[in-house]
Amino acid sequence: QAALFALALQLYRSAEAGGEVLYLIPEQMGFEYYSYTFVERLTSGRRLILPAEGVSGISRQNKFYFQPESKTAKRSSLSWLFELQNAPPSDEIELEIFQAYGSSCEVMEVFRRLQRDNIPADRATLCYTNAEAYLPLILSLSTTYQVPVTFAEGLPVGFTGPGKLLLGLLLWMEENYTVPIFYRLLTENTLKVSSGVAQARLLRRAGIGWGRQRYVPFLEELAVALQADAQKAKREEREGLCSYLLEQRGKVLELQEIVSFILDRIPPVDVNGQVDFEQLCDGLAEILQAYSRNSNSLDVAAREALLEQLGELTKSLQGEVPLRVALKRLRARLKALRVGASGFEPGHLYAASLSHGEWSLRPHVFIVGLNEGNFPGSGLQDPVLLDGERAALNSNLRSMSAALGQNMYRLNRFLASCRGKITLSFPSFDPAEGRASFPAAALLQAYRLQTGDHEADYSAFLNSLERPVAYFPEEQGNFFCEEEWWGSLVLKENKAGGLESVRRCYPNLHNGLLAEEARSGEVFTSFDGKVEIDPHEADPRISRRPLSATGIERLAACPFAYFLRYLLRVEPPDEQIFDPNVWLDPLSRGLLLHEIYARYLGKICTTAEGPASEPSADRDLLFKIAEELLEETRKSIPPPSPVVYEYEKESILKGLEVFLRVEKELWQEGSIPMYLEVPFGFVAEDPSMTGQGLTEPVQVSLPDGNLVHLRGRIDRIDSIVPQGAYRVWDFKTGSTYGFEERTYIQQGRQIQHALYALAAEKILQQEDPKARVAEAGYIFPTEKGEGERFLKRQSRRQEALEALQKMLDLLAAGVFCASHEQERCQYCDYQLVCRFPQSVQNMNKKLDSSENAELEPWKELQEYD
């Protein structure tokens, strides 16, 4: 702005030297105090004010404007929009008002009307009241449906590839370099890389999580692992796999090079959280030059504008500043930057705000966003400097509350200046918020002026409007795209397009409709999880494939989820989300606690004689082990901050007090730990390290005489001193939700205790043929679990084996139905896949039908409590 004034002064001096000058100043131009004063002095005695359209009934809030001496031109009837009683009768107003189901439908309706009325795009202006809400929609829809548009004020730089890259990097730094943000930069094609999606998957596979120091070492480890796998594949003469692994390694190395380049140019934060602002701006400029994609002329312009802005920012702030301040300053300046501003072009619709649209004299004007939320504005004052405080400082400072009146005045003047057809609209519903939206007061005034009913209220106005335009047009034939034709003619209730012929022409649509019909019916079909599968592959009794207790319990909870996870191997991505308030996720915390328990109990017990003393006696040893493991975990999983680390550390140590209390109770009952982390079915593990175990899976005889193979790891086997028997425990570090004393296996969803008891018995009988596991259960030795224990006597083991047989019958028959109980689905990863909760309702309908004999094993399984 300072440079603009300097240029104006330079031109002023040259103009004086060159002769007489006349300044033409449109009345519409509003000024701030100093710019007004400058222009007034510059043009004194040599200016001609070009009059704007007159407005009656509403005052102009901005006092810094030039007013012509007289206005002799004929005024539009819309000049009296807010002074209806004095409005002259006129038939010249060509005004339409419509409402829309959301802002997106509002913009689409403008495009439809251009097409319906055969209006050339360069004969129309599209004005919006809220750039933040409407610019993305206009850009997206015009690009999708190939409507040529020029933007008077340009587009935010964040809409371009270079802008997305730079703003993404700022967010990446702010969120402690968390992987999902960099993952999006790769998948959204904003970084110049050879294979964005493939490299994004490799980045996720590296298990980095967050923290700038972890990227390069973890990518190096992944490259080494891929090299080793490739060499192994080569030795096994699997050339195709070897070639693929080497190709993946090459992508990792390229990604490592890119990440190293970026991190080398982002200055590190010192111990006080400070960063060198100039180095940061220069580094971001280098990254932008090296790795921003320039897909079109808009991207090229955006990159140049961003580089210029970064260059200016380096001069605006010197030295070190807090990282948060630096990022906030950068983001504020970059978000305000716009590129691609353009005037009128042949064949292009002109999109502009009200202030810019006022300079357009096209015969067709559309104004969207005239609802109370967008126009005339919120009227909220600046909390830093209230209007009263502004007036006390300087009477020439513009007040925030005056902006509402200024917006109303500008709209009225704009409407009065129009000499063609005017179409006003507002969104009557907000789909994102799920609530109604109401028209602005200016629309009611326009309706009153148009109808001559000056006393009309909102009810009369809304009742006069047609139904809100939605995603598909009401009028047949006014279709803007193929989807609208389908939505209006084929998928409506009357199915005017002939659904049967459509199904014959489009097999995929036919299959989709067939699937919906089958799922909502009573018969259990392939669309519900009835799979034609080879029993030799699916039935573990035939394939001898070992099962885990976790997999069996998932099968009992929902066969469909089991099918996805264990047969199709579909898993949600292992995303590590950075949370500034949380260090360890539940899984990591549970693994850490299990390791603490195992190391502590392993130190104090012997396999021959049991513990030398009460397990809860050596508190110092427990806390020492915990401190060591916490420090190891801290190195592999960096905490978001020292405060969060200390808080979670204190929470874990506090929970160990509960563990000690539980151990003391077990000691007093005569339940003494003998073996810990006992493996069975893992060929690569040496059972001698834990004192007991099996490398081969445990064979279990089912009631039908078949064998099934199990593998797993038993947390703990205790000796029950008074009885001479054994007890199996499994540590649980979460809450006790879903666990009850009165139930035994809960339809197979808590069958682990019975299976582990059986496996432990077979392992112990290697040395003691008379070994017997009398009890098995779960311990909750944490604050959340409150030290609760759920112990199940193993006298009902036959029931568990019968339930297991029912589950295997489902596998053999290829029955992978969804769960029929909504409660089981609350924390499932596959809700979107099975269409929860509709899947629960559909399943209950099929269970009630007598036609589905294949579901009998599932029904019978529900009888086992």
Side-chain angles (χ1 to χ4, degrees), residues 203-468:
L203 178 71
R204 178 181 279 164
R205 180 179 170 183
I208 296 165
W210 58 83
R212 66 176 289 162
Q213 304 299 332
R214 293 163 58 85
Y215 274 78
V216 174
F218 276 64
L219 288 172
E220 286 178 351
E221 289 181 14
L222 179 58
V224 170
L226 288 170
Q227 178 70 29
D229 291 343
Q231 292 174 350
K232 180 181 177 183
K234 186 175 183 179
R235 288 194 300 269
E236 297 174 353
E237 298 183 354
R238 301 168 69 183
E239 294 299 329
L241 177 59
C242 177
S243 176
Y244 169 76
L245 292 170
L246 290 175
E247 180 185 354
Q248 295 295 98
R249 179 178 177 272
K251 292 176 181 177
V252 172
L253 293 175
E254 180 194 354
L255 182 59
Q256 180 185 335
E257 180 182 349
I258 294 170
V259 170
S260 298
F261 180 92
I262 292 173
L263 292 177
D264 287 345
R265 281 149 185 80
I266 297 176
V269 178
D270 63 20
V271 292
N272 298 317
Q274 305 273 335
V275 65
D276 188 296
F277 188 72
E278 186 176 357
Q279 288 184 17
L280 177 60
C281 292
D282 290 340
L284 290 172
E286 288 187 54
I287 296 169
L288 203 61
Q289 288 177 313
Y291 287 109
S292 67
R293 285 189 181 275
N294 301 314
S295 305
N296 49 50
S297 58
L298 192 63
D299 284 349
V300 174
R303 189 179 73 162
E304 295 306 315
L306 287 168
L307 290 173
E308 181 181 355
Q309 189 69 238
L310 289 170
E312 292 181 4
L313 281 166
T314 57
K315 304 170 186 176
S316 68
L317 189 62
Q318 302 295 324
E320 295 187 342
V321 296
L323 178 63
R324 183 173 296 179
V325 173
L327 296 178
K328 184 177 180 181
R329 186 181 186 90
L330 282 165
R331 189 178 289 113
R333 291 289 294 271
L334 298 179
K335 281 190 173 181
L337 195 62
R338 291 177 179 250
V339 293
S342 176
F344 309 110
E345 290 188 13
H348 287 67
L349 178 67
Y350 184 64
S353 64
L354 290 177
S355 58
H356 282 74
E358 193 173 0
W359 302 96
S360 167
L361 298 179
R362 291 183 169 183
H364 297 274
V365 173
F366 296 86
I367 303 179
V368 297
L370 288 172
N371 59 312
E372 61 176 2
N374 289 323
F375 186 84
S378 64
L380 296 176
Q381 297 190 38
D382 185 347
V384 177
L385 196 62
L386 301 176
D387 284 351
E389 296 166 337
R390 286 171 178 265
L393 286 174
N394 191 317
S395 61
N396 294 316
L397 287 174
R398 181 185 298 179
S399 67
M400 302 299 290
S401 57
L404 299 182
Q406 183 67 18
N407 290 339
M408 295 290 284
Y409 186 92
R410 183 182 292 117
L411 173 66
N412 195 172
R413 187 178 61 198
F414 179 25
L415 293 175
S417 69
C418 296
R419 293 295 184 266
K421 184 175 181 180
I422 305 171
T423 304
L424 309 178
S425 63
F426 70 99
S428 60
F429 190 80
D430 186 340
E433 297 290 336
R435 57 181 176 82
S437 179
F438 298 95
L443 285 179
L444 177 60
Q445 291 296 109
Y447 171 74
R448 288 170 172 173
L449 180 64
Q450 183 183 36
T451 60
D453 183 1
H454 299 170
E455 303 299 325
D457 58 11
Y458 276 105
S459 297
F461 167 53
L462 293 173
N463 289 333
S464 71
L465 299 175
E466 295 182 357
R467 293 199 323 175

Side-chain angles (χ1 to χ4, degrees), residues 616 656-669 716 731 779-782 786-789:
S616 62
L656 293 178
E657 299 285 0
V658 179
F659 171 75
L660 288 173
R661 173 172 59 82
V662 172
E663 289 302 320
K664 183 176 181 179
E665 293 171 356
L666 290 172
W667 174 274
Q668 292 171 349
E669 294 174 9
R716 169 174 173 173
F731 290 119
I779 305 177
F780 293 80
T782 61
E786 299 179 341
E788 289 284 339
R789 290 177 287 154

Side-chain angles (χ1 to χ4, degrees), residues 110-119 477-480:
V110 171
F111 294 165
R112 292 191 198 110
R113 292 187 178 220
L114 290 174
Q115 177 181 260
R116 182 194 66 188
D117 299 335
N118 199 26
I119 301 171
N478 186 29
F479 308 121
F480 199 78

